Structure formats: structure tokens, C-alpha cells
Amino acid sequence: MAVQPDTATVVAARAGDPAAVDRLVAGYLPLVYTIVGRALDGHADVDDVVQDTMLRVLRNLGDLREPEAFRSWLVAITVRQVRERYRVRRSAPDTLLPDDVRDPGADFTDLAITRLELAGQRRETAEATRWLDEDNRELLSLWWLEASGELTRDEIVAATEVTRQHAAVRIQRMKGQLETARVVVRALAAAPPCADLALVTAEWDGRPGALWRKRIARHTRDCRQCSPAWSGLVAAERLLVGMALVPLPHSLSSGALGAFGGVQAGSHAAHAVSGKALAAKIAIKGGAGVGRRALTAMLATGTVAGGGAAVVVYSNADKPVANAAVISTAAPTPRLSLPAPATPGATSAVPSAKPSPSKRKTTAPVPVPPTATSAKKGVGTWQFAGIKGALDDVGAGWYYNWSPDNDSMPAPGDVEFVPMIWGKDNVTSATLAKAKREGDVLLGFNEPDMGGQANMSVEDALAAWPKLQGTGLRLGSPAVAYGGDTAGGWLDRFMKGAKARNLRVDFITLHWYGSDFSDAAVKQFLGYVDAVHARYDLPVWVTEYGLMNFTGSPKYPTGAQEAAFITGSTKGMEKRAFVERYAWFGLPAVGDSVDFGLYRDSSTPTEAGKAYKAAG
């Protein structure tokens, strides 16, 4: 890992030690820049977001109760600032630079290739990042750092505010899109070029995007000349192991903008430009708290290069205090260098700006369908505040959380919890004992055919299965991500191996995600369920399913499309006697699951949630 300041430095910086603040910012600036740079892919906003992140960190340093958790806290703030910038760009397109406008000197992919001297498949992977969807670029920025040893999986989970299992699902999908993008890069760079691909891309403007990624990838699968691009891809993890952080660009490392300031809760700030440099007017409310000491340290050590600049401290937005400090500088070399301030959105008491109210036509509220309770109907859920009320409101007969117990997620008494043994490392006496205490049924391994999930060979799963069988619980098969009906696929080989070893599997568990959002999705889904049942002649549990396009755009269906799919799919499963249980992915519609979750809180269903509530 990169050398970063220790906990003692964090404590000293929190107390206002100027030297410690200096070391803290200098030590963590490369990490923040790498996350933001890759997430925004060299957009002109990168420098703004980096500075805004560091400003927010310093403003709220006094609120950090666990100094040893500083890095995780910093990463979480960084991710929130990236998301806030995405949100602002989407909500105010006329006042911001278009998404395709980049600062040629700050193009993150080019910086990575040039400054890390990337070649071969490493270079190809860096170039492929330009083709990822917005949310996948954000996730890639974190996973890239995990693969190169700069972050841990726990820090990614904390930053994305999802469960470990959900984070693993998202990372696996992102890696799939990255692999497709790598093939696209290969195909476009092939020599000699493919004449058919040239026809496909004749109208392409040369800008990477989801639509063209999908079109080019589709061509490579069907083209004899381009299809070899899918072969010989080294796993991205192996390419990234040991890679250093990307060195800072000139705009951050040379001190072009180095004045810092902060705002405590409830205060006001104004900003002005002096000559070629930024002069910050920093409003700090009365009272010398820890946050103010840290900010004072920043004022003492931060300066603006290239022309004079002034830092003025006000007690409120209208009039300066009698002893306001005015610091003028000519052009000294700054010890700390960051660019311009931007937006709110971290673990702070400073509220985000509220959008201006718009006039809306008043309409009668849409009636919520009555709850239909079904023993079959369930949900997969991770932690969120409204879990207990939502489980009750949706009429679920059962639920699971990819874990062996529900200690942190208790449900109403009439909703059954079903435990899971997630992967190979969970096959322990203690974990199995927990699961056994929870009920009568046990779910097997979670997507063992996926690298970012349980990631188990068929042989490993078969070797561990007798221990699951030893619980005496009714056993569901490992839940494969795809190909459950395929002869010779992972599940098929597992089931044949289990039969040969006289191992017990009581029902088949399935996952399914569809990228076709049309009315045909219901038929596609139920056709898969029927085919799996026909192959193994066992009861079926669908433990994860939904509509998501992991490699194209739009990524999610509209609320109406999702509701129609839920209505049709649940009706079909209720009619099939061999389908014992089904579970939508997932219950919470908060954070990054707002587009597919069912409940915003304990009693507020989304459009999909209303349809699922009525199902059964």
C-alpha cells in the first residue's frame, strides 16, 4: 500500500496541528485524486471535486470519533462528492460543462497510461474504462484500488453503503462490463481492421458510450475476424496487482490553486477570483472548536501561487469581525495544493442546497393495491432503517439476507427467515450452528460460478456439501448466476456429482436478471424457470430475480415496465406448483438500489413495490 499518515497524525490534525494537517492532506490527496479521477474519467470537474472533498474532510474532522477509521471515512466522503457532482450535472445541464468536455491535461486514462507506463493488456484495460457506465466508473475507481492493494473490501462496502454481498454483486457486474469494454478496445485497434466493423461504426462519432459499446460487442461475438478478441483476456485483478496510485497532475501537484478554507455548520461562504488564482472568503462561526483549529492550520499553511490572493475570515455573511485576519501573499511555493470548492454531500452537518420548487399539477393520490400475502413471496434484503415495517407491509412470507442469521435484521413474527451458507469460508461449525438455530431450511452457496461471489469450483462445493447436509436442514442447491438449464454447466455438473456421491439436494435455487424490458421479459423468465425444473425434476426457489441491463443503456426499466414484469412473473410462479418460493432483489429502495428496490422506508413502496405488494 502507499505510505499514508498514521492515526497519530489524524489525532494531531484534528487538534489543529498545522504540520499534521499538512501531512494528512499530502498523504491522502493521491488516493482521493485516483478515486475521483477514474470515477469522472478526466472530466473538467475532477479538480473541483478533489478540492471539495478535502475541504469537507477538514471541516468535519472534529466530528470523527474514531481516528483509526479515517481512511474509510475519507473514502466514503469522496464517493458522496462524486455522486453529488453526478447529480448536479444531471439536474443543471445548462449551467455546467457537457459530459464530453475534458481537460486534455487532466485526462485520467491518459495519465494512468503515461505516468504508470502501462502497456499491453494493462493499457487496454485502462482505455476500456472510458466505455463504462457512470455508476460502474465510480465502482471501478474503488475496486481498482482494492485490486492494487490500496483499499480493502470493507472500505468499499462502507463507501458504497451496501452490504458486503450486494457490493460483491455490483463489482461482478462491473467487471463483466469492463471485460466487454476491453474486447471493444481490442476490436477497434485490430490490425488489419475489420471491414464489417468499419461498416457498423460508420456513423460513430468516436466517443465511447454505452450504445456503441453494445453494438460493437454484439458484432465481435458474431464476426469471425473479431471474435478472437474475446480470447486470452488476463483477469483484470492480475493486471492491477501492485500498481501504484496515479501521480497527481500538474494542476494539483504544482500548487496552481492552494488556498483552503472551511465552513462550519450553519455558516455562510462566498468565493471570489483574484487575478489568475482563487481567493477564498471563508466564513467561520464564532467558537474555537476542533474544526476551526484545523481550518486555521490550513490558512496558515495554504497559499495561492501566481499573483496575490487574500483570505478573509468573517463571523457572518454581512460584516467582518473587528479583528478579521487578512493574509496577503505574493507568489510563494505552497505546502498544500488543491483546486476550487464545489458541492455538499458528505458526513456533515452542512445541509445540501434544496432544489427550487416547481409548479406541479395537483392530482389525486394513486390508490395502493391491497397487500396480498403468500407463503411463496419473499425478498432478499440488506440492512436499512425500514426493514421490519417493509417486510410486514409488502406481505412477504419469508426473507433472507445472504447470511446464516438475522440478528441485525429481525422481522415480524409471521415472516420466516431462511439462512444461507454464502461461500467456502462460511462452512464452519460455528456458522452452521447459527444457521441450524434459525429454522428448517438452508440455502446453499451464493453464485459459486461467479468470480466476485462465492467463486467455488464444483469439486470444492461437493467436498463441502456433506457438512451442510449434516445440519439435517432441508437443503437448497447452490444458486448459480446463469446457465442453470445448461447441460455441462456449473449446476449440471454439481447435480451429477451430488448424485454420484449420494448427496442430498432437496430443491433448486436460481438467480435470473433480464435485460429485455419489454412484455417478452415475463415469458423469458418463466421459460428459464420451466427449463431448470424440467432438467432436474425438483422444486424450484427463485432466490434473486429482477430486470437489469448490466452492459447497456438504459440500465434499469421504467417503474411501469418493472411493475408489469412483477405482476406477470409473480402470477406465473404462483400458478406453478413446483415453484415453492421466490424473492425479488431486493427490498430496500435506498442509495444505489433506488432503481430496482421495493421500499423507500418502512411504509413507502415504489411503483415496483406496489406491484409486489399486490402479488401473491
Side-chain angles (χ1 to χ4, degrees):
M1 285 197 174
V3 177
Q4 290 166 346
D6 57 15
T7 301
T9 302
V10 177
V11 173
R14 189 174 62 174
D17 181 346
V21 173
D22 194 346
R23 291 196 304 273
L24 196 66
V25 174
Y28 281 103
L29 185 56
L31 178 65
V32 172
Y33 169 69
T34 299
I35 295 172
V36 176
R38 189 164 298 288
L40 298 182
D41 195 24
H43 191 279
D45 290 345
V46 168
D47 285 0
D48 283 358
V49 176
V50 171
Q51 169 158 310
D52 193 53
T53 299
M54 298 308 292
L55 288 171
R56 187 161 295 280
V57 167
L58 292 171
R59 289 169 188 159
N60 295 284
L61 190 56
D63 297 330
L64 179 64
R65 296 181 179 181
E66 299 177 0
E68 64 275 8
F70 175 81
R71 190 173 68 170
S72 296
W73 181 67
L74 170 72
V75 172
I77 291 175
T78 305
V79 170
R80 291 189 189 109
Q81 292 304 113
V82 169
R83 290 177 180 174
E84 178 65 12
R85 185 50 57 102
Y86 282 146
R87 185 191 67 77
V88 171
R89 279 161 52 182
R90 284 192 294 262
S91 63
D94 295 332
T95 60
L96 295 164
L97 291 171
D99 285 348
D100 60 307
V101 175
R102 300 175 186 274
D103 175 359
D107 187 294
F108 194 86
T109 300
D110 286 346
L111 281 169
I113 292 171
T114 303
R115 300 191 179 194
L116 298 181
E117 300 180 350
L118 302 184
Q121 291 200 34
R122 280 185 170 180
R123 180 188 184 101
E124 174 186 278
T125 302
E127 291 176 346
T129 63
R130 290 189 172 117
W131 290 85
L132 298 186
D133 296 338
E134 185 177 275
D135 54 347
N136 275 332
R137 282 203 305 270
E138 173 197 297
L139 188 59
L140 173 72
S141 71
L142 300 176
W143 176 75
W144 187 292
L145 290 168
E146 180 192 22
S148 57
E150 294 291 341
L151 291 180
T152 66
R153 177 56 61 89
D154 287 340
E155 287 170 332
I156 293 178
V157 168
T160 54
E161 299 177 313
V162 298
T163 64
R164 190 178 183 86
Q165 291 85 355
H166 189 195
V169 170
R170 290 190 59 212
I171 288 171
Q172 190 60 37
R173 310 305 185 196
M174 177 275 295
K175 287 163 61 179
Q177 191 175 103
L178 179 63
E179 182 176 275
T180 299
R182 290 171 65 188
V183 171
V184 168
V185 169
R186 281 188 173 188
L188 291 173
C194 172
D196 290 338
L197 180 57
L199 292 175
V200 171
T201 58
E203 297 180 2
W204 179 42
D205 62 5
R207 298 174 181 175
L211 177 62
W212 283 102
R213 181 190 67 235
K214 190 172 183 179
R215 288 180 178 176
I216 296 169
R218 186 186 303 121
H219 165 82
T220 63
R221 292 187 179 96
D222 300 330
C223 174
R224 179 174 297 181
Q225 181 175 340
C226 295
S227 60
W230 290 91
S231 303
L233 290 170
V234 176
E237 293 93 330
R238 291 174 56 191
L239 297 172
L240 304 180
V241 169
M243 284 183 63
L245 295 174
V246 177
L248 299 178
H250 180 77
S251 61
L252 289 177
S253 60
S254 67
L257 294 169
F260 288 81
V263 184
Q264 290 183 337
S267 58
H268 306 274
H271 300 89
V273 175
S274 174
K276 296 181 180 179
L278 173 69
K281 291 182 178 179
I282 306 148
I284 303 177
K285 238 183 173 182
V290 171
R292 179 166 181 167
R293 289 199 297 273
L295 293 169
T296 302
M298 294 310 302
L299 291 175
T301 58
T303 55
V304 179
V311 179
V312 183
V313 181
Y314 289 159
S315 64
N316 57 57
D318 299 317
K319 72 174 185 179
V321 295
N323 60 349
V326 180
I327 308 169
S328 297
T329 62
T333 302
R335 296 172 62 193
L336 298 169
S337 323
L338 286 179
T343 54
T347 50
S348 162
V350 181
S352 300
K354 294 182 179 179
S356 300
S358 56
K359 294 183 179 179
R360 296 183 179 180
K361 187 179 293 185
T362 303
T363 57
V366 178
V368 178
T371 303
T373 302
S374 165
K376 288 187 177 186
K377 182 170 67 175
V379 289
T381 188
W382 45 97
Q383 191 69 56
F384 81 114
I387 184 170
K388 192 169 184 177
L391 282 170
D392 183 61
D393 192 69
V394 78
W398 71 285
Y399 75 111
Y400 78 114
N401 60 3
W402 296 271
S403 301
D405 62 68
N406 67 335
D407 293 349
S408 64
M409 304 182 196
D414 58 347
V415 183
E416 179 187 359
F417 172 75
V418 178
M420 169 185 274
I421 302 300
W422 191 83
K424 183 178 180 180
D425 292 340
N426 304 106
V427 186
T428 66
S429 298
T431 305
L432 291 167
K434 282 183 180 179
K436 190 173 181 178
R437 289 193 294 268
E438 292 295 340
D440 304 313
V441 186
L442 181 62
L443 300 177
F445 308 120
N446 186 73
E447 297 190 346
D449 53 335
M450 295 289 278
Q453 296 297 301
N455 191 26
M456 301 171 68
S457 67
V458 171
E459 291 70 29
D460 284 344
L462 289 169
W465 203 252
K467 294 183 179 180
L468 275 67
Q469 189 171 309
T471 62
L473 302 177
R474 189 163 181 256
L475 280 179
S477 73
V480 294
Y482 55 88
D485 62 338
T486 303
W490 196 101
L491 182 59
D492 189 57
R493 287 181 284 124
F494 176 85
M495 293 301 291
K496 288 177 179 176
K499 184 176 181 180
R501 301 184 189 197
N502 198 29
L503 298 176
R504 174 170 55 87
V505 178
D506 297 306
F507 57 93
I508 302 296
T509 60
L510 294 178
H511 291 178
W512 184 92
Y513 292 96
S515 58
D516 183 347
F517 304 155
S518 71
D519 293 340
V522 172
K523 186 176 181 179
Q524 293 165 4
F525 166 66
L526 293 175
Y528 180 61
V529 173
D530 290 342
V532 171
H533 176 251
R535 173 167 289 279
Y536 305 111
D537 195 26
L538 285 173
V540 171
W541 286 34
V542 181
T543 51
E544 274 186 40
Y545 84 113
L547 293 178
M548 296 185 195
N549 185 352
F550 297 110
T551 59
S553 181
K555 184 172 182 178
Y556 302 107
T558 64
Q561 288 173 325
E562 201 163 45
F565 173 73
I566 285 174
T567 300
S569 62
T570 54
K571 186 177 295 184
M573 287 188 285
E574 289 289 339
K575 289 180 178 179
R576 285 163 167 77
F578 66 83
V579 176
E580 293 185 340
R581 304 274 182 100
Y582 56 87
W584 183 262
F585 182 89
L587 183 62
V590 296
D592 60 356
S593 61
V594 294
D595 293 302
F596 57 86
L598 301 177
Y599 275 73
R600 298 186 180 93
D601 53 38
S602 62
S603 59
T604 310
T606 61
E607 191 168 358
K610 292 174 184 177
Y612 204 69
K613 178 177 179 177

